[in-house]
Each structure stands twice: as C-alpha cells, then as structure tokens.
Amino acid sequence: MTDQGFSPINFLFPGLPLPRNRRRDAAHIKMRAVYLDIIKERRKHDLESEEEHDMIWNLMNCSYKSRTPIPDKEIAHMMITLLMGGQHSSSSAGSWIMLRLAAHPNIAEELFQEQVQNLGRGSKGGRLPPLQYSDLDKLPLLHNVVKETLRLHGSIHSILRKVLLSSPMATSTSEEFFRDAKTWNPHRWDKPEEGVAAAVDEEVVDYGYGATTSGSRSPYLPFGAGRHRCIGEKFAYLNLGVIVGTLVRNFEFSSMDGQEGVVPPTDHTSMFARPPQPSFVRWTRREYD
C-alpha cells in the first residue's frame, strides 16, 4: 500500500479513480483477509483468549454500546488502522527528531549528558549501562524532545468527526498559545509557563487504556482528544524515547551542510507529514573516554 493513498485529499474524496487509490484498495482487501483468517481460525478452534491475549482477542470480546458484538470485518479494519497508524506515525516522528537533532547538535549533546548524569557510567570504558524501562522517567529532556517535535511535526494532518474537521497543527504553531511558536525548543516544556502562553489542559482521565490528559481544551493535540484520543500515545513516547535515547548515546549528529537551526519544511501533502530524505543528517559514532 503506497503512502500516496493516505494523502489528506483521499480522506475527503476516498473514491477518486486514481491508480494509487486502486493499489491502496487492493492492499486493503488483502490485509483484511489476513486478519479475517486469524479471527476465523480462533473461533473455529474455540481458543480461550488467555492462551494468546492481544488486541484481536480484546476486540473479539468487545461490544458496542448497543451490546452488539463487533463484527469480524470491523475488527479486521480496526487492526489495519492500528497497524498503519502506529507504523507511519512512529517512523515519521523518529525521522523528524533526527533532523532536529542534526540541526541542533547542542540539544543532542544535552541528551547524552542527561543520560550520563542520571544513569551513570559503567566501569569498563566509561560506557552507559543498558537502557531500562524505568530509566525513561529519569530523562525529562528526552521526553520534551519528543513532545516538542510532535508539536511542530504532528503525525496527523487533520482530525475528522461527523460534523467537524480540525487541524491540530493550527493551534500548536500559533503565537496565541506558544511563544516563538515556529521555533523548535524542547526546553519550553521545562517550565511551560515560560514557553506556553496558554495553559495546556492537564485534566487526567482514563478511557480504558491508561491515565492520560483529556486534551479537550488544549492547543497541543498530537494524539487527538477525548474518547477518540490515540490509544498508542504512551507506547509512542516509550518507543521514540528508547530509539532516540539509544541513538544519542552511540552517535553525534550534525547536518550535512553544517548549518544549525535549519531543517527542511514539512510536507503536508502526506497524511503523516512525511519528512525529507535522511541524507540531511550526518552520523558520527560517539567516542567514549
């Protein structure tokens, strides 16, 4: 399935008779068949969900508010949504973070020093210890780098409801809500009152997949808001945190032309704000003492 089938115009006019849309639809049918076969096999053998508990099992045991069980076809479509959304958003956000670190090598060095100071170094070669899940809570700048990148390079171009279409990027790049809104500055989140002109909604709720902020009154909406907020938000921060945390401890970053503070513009013709080619970034293996 080509990314061109995910461009914003396709969500407004999904039936346009274009070759890329035909390829998208053919791929969709094949992917749906894969999931339907899995569901059929599980129902055939009457397997218990405890034997292999995953999202498919969860949806197979769910019902709508009307108490109508979710049809298998719709389960398959939901699984495709989760697969494509998680794949594209994480890879896109990760690429933008690398571009930003290449343009701001001082921030990349701060990320490395944050690990040195908060995680310590091993006795052999001065190398950092293996990254653990609990370590991410000790790295606030790493979290803020992800957060700031998602502010300027959100993974979703538009949020659609039955009577509404909104663009989260409009508020997240507005001077009304963020001082120097077009500037990439992870430190604005160290003390939000200094870099955020309007309070970001911090009302905590749990929609069934862990406590998070509702986002209903926030200008910062990289994962949507309300009950339709992305269920992969916490995993996205975990995923990107591990990737970026591992890279900065092994490599130093710079742009190919040596310029700092400059990155290519965002291409919003793609649903997931496709970043430019990675040839913009120069990777240099970090030397340990």
Side-chain angles (χ1 to χ4, degrees), residues 48-75:
E48 295 295 331
S49 59
E50 288 76 11
E51 296 181 24
E52 189 177 357
H53 186 71
D54 53 23
M55 182 56 71
I56 296 179
W57 269 123
N58 181 63
L59 292 172
M60 288 173 63
N61 290 287
C62 284
S63 299
Y64 288 115
K65 290 182 179 180
S66 62
R67 298 184 179 181
T68 302
I70 301 178
D72 291 352
K73 182 178 179 180
E74 294 183 20
I75 293 175

Side-chain angles (χ1 to χ4, degrees), residues 8 38 48 50 73 86 88 96 132 175 178 209 224 241 263-264 271 273 284:
I38 294 173
E48 295 295 331
E50 288 76 11
K73 182 178 179 180
H88 285 71
W96 278 116
Q132 305 293 327
E175 293 288 339
F178 297 94
Y209 46 86
V263 299
M271 184 62 182
T284 305

Side-chain angles (χ1 to χ4, degrees), residues 115-132:
Q115 292 194 42
V116 171
Q117 295 170 13
N118 296 331
L119 306 182
R121 289 196 182 193
S123 58
K124 296 182 179 180
R127 291 189 173 275
L128 291 161
L131 198 62
Q132 305 293 327

Side-chain angles (χ1 to χ4, degrees), residues 140-153:
L141 179 59
L142 176 62
H143 177 87
N144 289 344
V145 163
V146 175
K147 193 170 186 177
E148 179 70 352
T149 304
L150 291 176
R151 183 182 70 84
L152 290 178
H153 306 288

